[in-house]
Structure formats: structure tokens, C-alpha cells
Amino acid sequence: MKGKPNKLVLAAVAVVHVTAAAFTWRDLRARTARQVRGDKRIWRVASAVNTLGSAAYWLLGRRRRDG
């Protein structure tokens, strides 16, 4: 069985990825372009491609909300 991915682990990773992307897209929708570093479309693509894209958005892509 070495080398064969565990279906439960893959399912858990998929759930984490989809959840992270959903939260990222929701936050992007609620923010103006000025509140986001870079193009919102690029952040959407990055978060859809892999979970690191979502993590990068949360760590680097958001600006402080105005008042």
C-alpha cells in the first residue's frame, strides 16, 4: 500500500482547500479594490489553485479596513 494516498486524508485536504477558498472569496467580495493589495481577480485565481494562495491572501493581500 506504500505510495497509495489515503482517501480520508485526500478528502480532508479537499475540504480544507474548498473552505479556505470560500472564505477568501467571501472576504474579497466584501472588500473594495483599495482594501486589497493587488488585483482581486489574481487573488481569486491564486486561492482556487491551491491553499497556499488563500494563505498568502490572508497574510499579505489584505489592507486594513477604513474606519
Side-chain angles (χ1 to χ4, degrees):
M1 299 276 186
K2 189 173 183 170
K4 186 175 181 182
N6 184 337
K7 290 180 182 179
L8 185 60
V9 172
L10 289 176
V13 169
V15 167
V16 168
H17 172 68
V18 169
T19 302
F23 279 117
T24 300
W25 285 33
R26 185 180 74 171
D27 190 75
L28 281 164
R29 191 172 40 252
R31 289 180 180 269
T32 65
R34 293 186 68 162
Q35 294 172 326
V36 176
R37 290 185 178 100
D39 191 333
K40 290 169 80 169
R41 292 173 295 186
I42 299 299
W43 286 116
R44 283 189 190 99
V45 170
S47 67
V49 170
N50 65 42
T51 309
L52 290 178
S54 290
Y57 169 73
W58 289 97
L59 294 172
L60 306 170
R62 299 170 6 136
R63 294 185 195 272
R64 179 179 243 156
R65 286 187 187 240
D66 297 332

